[in-house]
Amino acid sequence: MKSNLTAYFALIMVCFFWGTTYLAARIGVAGFPALFFMGFRNVVAGALLLGFLVLRNRSFPWTLADIGLQLVPGWCMITFGTGLVGWCVQFIPSGLAALLYATVPLFTIMINMLARKEERINAHVAAGMVLGLAGVMLVFRDNLDYLADRNSFLGICVTLASCVSWCLGGLYTKSFTGRTDSFFNAAIQMMAGGVGLFVLSAFNEDWTHLPAMQPQSLMALLYLIFFGSILAYASYLFAMSRLPAGLVSIYAYINPLVALVLGFFILDEKITWLTVLAFTVTLGGVFLVNRGYQLQKRKSSLTLINSHE
């Protein structure tokens, strides 16, 4: 019972802290090179997590091949995934970025359908995808001012592209499962993703005149390292090990709401009735997609049981 209560508490932390990372990233990159900032965040978080594992004598028999297996998801999910969001929130509200990222499950379905011909969709999944698409259209309708601005439009497009990159990284990890510790994998992915962001930064940002980091940026950096990366990810893994995956997936519904509310109260980011409608429609679509796959999985299990009888 105590273990379950701890797992529920861990899930609450995931729902909250991952939702706050959009706001923290926007505060952190204000007045500081965004790609360098996000790269530093991930390299330090990965190094600290790896150091913690070493100090705790966590055994993970790894080779260079095991490390190599984590590079692609690190680049897809961090460098071109969440790392680029830190660049995007310079030009778009953190709540808008979080709302766009709520479409990740929908992109995952579409990519799986293209990559795996045996992938099937049922009525729930199809309806969810249609609702998700409608939600994205409402997001664009509610943010016409940002579409008219070149940098903001680019920020929206890059955020959507980063969603696709995140999904590709997830598909890669499912297709090429490693044999190493999950925390070790996370540490290597964060470090690889951070190095990738440093490379992007070197080509796009001037390192010869890096400004002094303002106190608010430094606080945001520390928050993202310890709460957004290490604590939230550890809580996610613990919750996944103790609770059903379908229950843990509710973080995808709550993160955008946390980001929207915090952006409204702290940074005066606008929330209109269209924003609320887009949020409701998009997450309704995500819910239907998840429900459809739960029903599909249940049906497959029953078919397998009947075939053995």
Side-chain angles (χ1 to χ4, degrees), residues 258-276:
V258 172
L260 284 168
V261 171
L262 289 179
F264 175 77
F265 283 108
I266 297 178
L267 297 180
D268 292 325
E269 295 178 353
K270 69 173 184 177
I271 295 182
T272 67
W273 69 271
L274 267 179
T275 303
V276 177

Side-chain angles (χ1 to χ4, degrees), residues 17-35 37-38 41 82-98 143 146 149 151-152 155-156 159 213-224 259-271:
F17 286 119
W18 270 357
T20 64
T21 55
Y22 299 92
L23 175 70
R26 188 170 192 192
I27 294 173
V29 301
F32 199 83
L35 297 174
F37 178 91
M38 296 301 286
R41 165 208 172 176
T82 56
L84 281 186
V85 176
W87 179 86
C88 295
V89 292
Q90 297 176 103
F91 311 112
I92 62 175
S94 57
L96 174 57
N143 292 276
Y146 296 110
D149 179 76
N151 286 333
S152 298
I156 290 173
T159 300
M213 187 172 286
Q214 298 300 313
Q216 63 268 27
S217 292
L218 179 59
M219 293 301 294
L221 177 65
L222 294 174
Y223 180 87
L224 286 169
L260 284 168
V261 171
L262 289 179
F264 175 77
F265 283 108
I266 297 178
L267 297 180
D268 292 325
E269 295 178 353
K270 69 173 184 177
I271 295 182

